[in-house]
Amino acid sequence: MTKMSAALTALIARVRRWGAADAAVVPAAVVVVDDDLARCCWAPRCENYGRSAGCPPHVSGPSGFRRLLKDYRLALAVRIDVPASALLSSERDAVMAMLHDIVADVERTAVEIGFPGARAFAGGACKRIFCGAHTECRVLSGKGTCRNPDRARPSMSGFGIDVSRLMQAAGWPGDYLGSPKATEDGMSWIAGLVLIV
Ligand code: SF4
C-alpha cells in the first residue's frame, strides 16, 4: 500500500468510527458545481441566507469553488445515514452538527498526517446549527472570531455542489436508499465533502 492510499484508508476508517457514517475517495475533478443549485440559497431565500460566514453571500460561491477545485486531485465524500423522520424533527440540528464534526475532524486529521491544504464542507447552515442562541454570527458582526472553529464548516449549498452526483461518484447511487427495505425503514442521508490534496 502506498503512503497516500494508507493515509486515505486511515481517513475513511476515522469516518466509519462515527457509526452511522461512511466515506469514499473521489477524484476532485468529478465534483460537479451547479450555479442553479447555489441560486436555491436566495431564490426562494433561505432563512439562513446572509446570516453566517459559512453561507452566501459571504462565501466565494460556485465560481470560487471551481477555482479552488483546480488545486486538488482527491477528495473524500462523507455520508451519514439517518432516519428521514429525524431530519423533519427537533433532532435535525444535532444530526447536522454531527456531520460538521465529522468533516472538521477529517480535515484536522488530514492536515496532521501531511495534507496541509485539506478543506472541509458540510451541509446545513452553521448559524442555525451552532449559533442559534446568538443574535449574530460573531465573524460577520466583526466582534471576534468564529465561536466554533473546530466544528463549523461552510455549507456545500452556497457553492452549488451537486450532492446527488457526488454520492454517485462515490459509488453510492443517488437512490441507494430508495430500495424497498430502505423505504420501509424510512432512511435518508446527508453528506459532506473534504478536499484532501
Ligand atoms: S460564529 Fe457561529 S454563525 Fe458565525 S461562522 Fe462561526 S459557527 Fe457560524
Side-chain angles (χ1 to χ4, degrees):
M1 188 183 281
T2 65
K3 197 174 163 191
M4 170 69 82
S5 59
L8 294 170
T9 300
L11 292 175
I12 291 172
R14 198 167 179 94
V15 171
R16 288 179 179 157
R17 279 204 288 276
W18 286 81
D22 199 6
V25 177
V26 297
V30 306
V31 179
V32 175
V33 178
D34 182 339
D35 289 38
D36 285 342
L37 290 175
R39 209 165 284 129
C40 293
C41 292
W42 67 87
R45 194 180 178 107
C46 167
E47 62 176 358
N48 298 298
Y49 181 83
R51 300 196 67 211
S52 81
C55 282
H58 306 295
V59 295
S60 62
S63 58
F65 197 82
R66 287 190 188 99
R67 280 195 302 276
L68 183 68
L69 262 184
K70 288 182 184 153
D71 294 335
Y72 290 85
R73 286 186 293 116
L74 296 172
L76 212 62
V78 174
R79 187 194 84 224
I80 299 179
D81 294 343
V82 58
S85 58
L87 297 179
L88 299 171
S89 75
S90 56
E91 289 176 66
R92 178 187 167 86
D93 288 348
V95 173
M96 301 310 286
M98 178 175 155
L99 175 63
H100 282 248
D101 283 336
I102 292 174
V103 295
D105 178 57
V106 169
E107 178 192 274
R108 196 161 40 248
T109 305
V111 170
E112 285 168 8
I113 65 178
F115 304 114
R119 291 273 303 272
F121 302 84
C126 62
K127 176 67 179 69
R128 172 180 164 145
I129 297 166
F130 297 111
C131 287
H134 299 275
T135 309
E136 296 175 307
C137 164
R138 199 160 67 181
V139 180
L140 294 187
S141 70
K143 294 174 184 164
T145 54
C146 177
R147 296 183 187 93
N148 302 282
D150 297 333
R151 305 184 72 191
R153 290 298 178 270
S155 173
M156 292 193 292
S157 309
F159 299 96
I161 297 168
D162 188 326
V163 180
S164 291
R165 290 177 73 174
L166 178 64
M167 295 294 95
Q168 289 166 17
W172 305 316
D175 64 349
Y176 83 104
L177 281 176
S179 67
K181 176 79 172 68
T183 305
E184 188 183 298
D185 291 347
M187 293 299 289
S188 186
W189 52 266
I190 55 175
L193 175 71
V194 188
L195 301 176
I196 303 290
V197 66

